[in-house]
Structures are given as C-alpha cells and as structure tokens.
Amino acid sequence: MKDNFSKQAADYSKFRPQYPEEMIQYIISFVDDKSTALDLATGNGQVAHKLSAHFKNVFATDISQKQLDNAIQAENIIYHKESAEKTSFANHQFDLIVVAQAVHWFKFEEFYKEIYRILKPEGIFAVLGYGLFFTNPDSDKILRHFYYDIVGAYWDAERKYLDENYETIPFPFDEIATEKFQNQFIWTFEELVGYLQTWSSVQHYISKNNQNPIDLIYEDLKLSWESNDKKVTFPLLLRIGKLK
C-alpha cells in the first residue's frame, strides 16, 4: 500500500468529509454479532470512531504513524501501525471489516487473502468511498478543469478505481445489493481549499513543480464560491459482501 497522506495528515483529519451516520447504520445492520470490528487504512480514524459506538471493540490500522497520531481516540478503539495486506490479527477474528477510501491502494490478491483469513465465516466485509464531489455549475467548471487538466496527470493510476465508482475493483465475495447514499455539506471557502489540499495529486504536483496548483485557480474559485450557495455533494460508494 502506498503512503500518500502522511505529509498532510493534520489537514486530512481536519478537512476530509465524514461518512453519514445513516450509511454506517446501514452497513452494521448486516452484522449479527457486534463484538469486534476492524477499520483498515483508518487514516484519521473517522470510521473507526463511528463504529466504536456500536461494537464492543474496534481495531484500526494504518501504515502512516502521522495519520494515527491525528486519529480520533476512544476507550474501545485499538490502533496499530501495519499494512492491510499483512496484519497481526488472529484467524477469523472480526465480525465486520471495513476499508474506507483506500482499497484502490492495496495489492488486491494479498489483501483479499488476508480478509478471508481474519474475517469470521459469517462476518461482513464493506468497502466505502466517495467520488468527485459536485457543487454549483459555475464552481464545478473551475473544479473539473482543475481535476482533469491541471492535476489530472498527477493522480496515481489507482485513482481510476474511484472514477469508476469502485465498480471495477476485484470483489471476490458473495455480494449484497446495497442502497445508494450521498453526503451533502455547506462549506466555507477555507474548507473547500483545505479539502483540495488533501488530494494526493495536489501533493504530487507540489513535489514536482515546487508550486501549489490551487494557486492557479484560487482567485477565480474564491469569487465563484462566495457568489454561490456553497453546497457540496459527494456521491458515496459502497460494496458489501460475505465470504463465499
């Protein structure tokens, strides 16, 4: 798994959108035993924290110590620094395993072999994510130019799985048909720019060009944002399965 997010871990914790409680409730509705859950590539721990209200124990892992240093704490969350493809957990330990906005970074064959090892036979596996957000038409025009034309070449190849709504990832499970979800926010301009700053493509652009690409659209985007409704909508991605 690549570590694209250590450098901006604090921003990631502050600006990345949360998943709605209704989506979390929907996922756990498929889980019979609420003893032990695992959040892989937990990042800032937002999903682990939501699960901690419903499970006796929640484990959460990430390869970035900086991400874990910024993670949300709770008495029943145990954080580990380790990869998703090779964990330290016991065979058939978990009732629920989730991975949010990260499965596209994994080595699929190794990862799914590990899921089959550590998930209970009757357990649930869920992949969560969110695609490119949309907003008012005027700001969308600027943001899509930014996404495709300015930083488009700086996305890792794995980004295509998100652009394809996780429909093309390998998914070797008995899949459960799911409802569709989306997430809506009202964002200040600071929150919008803060979120853009967490994009791995933006960080790659800065590293290569010694310039922040957001500066190229900053003034136009600010003018557009302040004169519109500031509403942001994220299409949410969800796939749920059980062991075959």
Side-chain angles (χ1 to χ4, degrees):
M1 179 184 174
K2 295 180 180 178
D3 180 7
N4 277 334
F5 305 102
S6 282
K7 282 196 296 185
Q8 68 271 31
D11 281 348
Y12 199 95
S13 179
K14 184 177 179 181
F15 293 112
R16 281 278 166 146
Q18 297 273 337
Y19 294 92
E21 183 60 29
E22 64 173 338
M23 187 179 185
I24 301 298
Q25 293 273 9
Y26 179 74
I27 293 167
I28 66 174
S29 72
F30 293 98
V31 186
D32 293 329
D33 188 345
K34 308 294 195 300
S35 297
T36 313
L38 172 62
D39 178 25
L40 293 164
T42 190
N44 59 25
Q46 57 160 284
V47 173
H49 186 252
K50 287 182 179 293
L51 293 176
S52 71
H54 305 282
F55 285 81
K56 184 177 179 181
N57 290 301
V58 175
F59 292 82
T61 70
D62 204 281
I63 60 170
S64 168
Q65 187 61 51
K66 287 187 178 179
Q67 285 278 23
L68 295 176
D69 289 344
N70 284 277
I72 306 166
Q73 301 296 312
E75 285 186 4
N76 61 335
I77 303 177
I78 302 106
Y79 288 105
H80 288 278
K81 181 179 181 290
E82 59 184 33
S83 74
E85 293 93 345
K86 188 175 182 180
T87 72
S88 59
F89 301 114
N91 292 346
H92 310 309
Q93 183 171 345
F94 296 102
D95 303 292
L96 171 68
I97 299 176
V98 301
V99 53
Q101 199 71 2
V103 74
H104 52 289
W105 300 119
F106 297 163
K107 298 172 183 174
F108 290 123
E109 188 173 346
E110 294 176 34
F111 173 64
Y112 287 131
K113 185 178 179 181
E114 187 70 347
I115 295 301
Y116 265 75
R117 184 183 73 81
I118 63 177
L119 185 64
K120 290 180 181 178
E122 68 281 6
I124 292 292
F125 173 70
V127 169
L128 296 72
Y130 44 85
L132 180 61
F133 68 92
F134 57 91
T135 180
N136 66 83
D138 187 42
S139 299
D140 262 346
K141 187 175 180 181
I142 298 168
L143 288 163
R144 270 150 181 71
H145 170 61
F146 182 70
Y147 182 88
Y148 292 108
D149 304 323
I150 297 178
V151 300
Y154 296 87
W155 287 109
D156 293 84
E158 294 91 341
R159 176 73 194 185
K160 74 184 182 76
Y161 291 115
L162 281 168
D163 289 335
E164 293 161 356
N165 300 317
Y166 277 165
E167 292 171 3
T168 56
I169 62 168
F171 201 75
F173 301 92
D174 278 333
E175 188 157 6
I176 299 167
T178 62
E179 295 179 12
K180 299 287 187 184
F181 294 89
Q182 63 180 22
N183 220 358
Q184 291 190 325
F185 305 95
I186 301 296
W187 271 359
T188 64
F189 185 65
E190 180 197 19
E191 288 171 317
L192 173 65
V193 170
Y195 172 65
L196 298 179
Q197 189 76 24
T198 70
W199 284 6
S200 57
S201 60
V202 170
Q203 297 304 312
H204 293 331
Y205 187 107
I206 293 170
S207 296
K208 186 166 184 179
N209 300 292
N210 203 28
Q211 178 194 22
N212 192 327
I214 298 171
D215 293 344
L216 302 174
I217 61 165
Y218 188 92
E219 293 302 330
D220 286 343
L221 185 60
K222 185 175 183 180
L223 184 64
S224 170
W225 200 253
E226 297 301 341
S227 61
N228 280 287
D229 62 9
K230 304 179 178 66
K231 184 184 292 184
V232 175
T233 302
F234 281 88
L236 297 176
L237 317 177
L238 179 61
R239 297 186 73 174
I240 298 176
K242 305 183 79 168
L243 300 184
K244 288 186 175 181

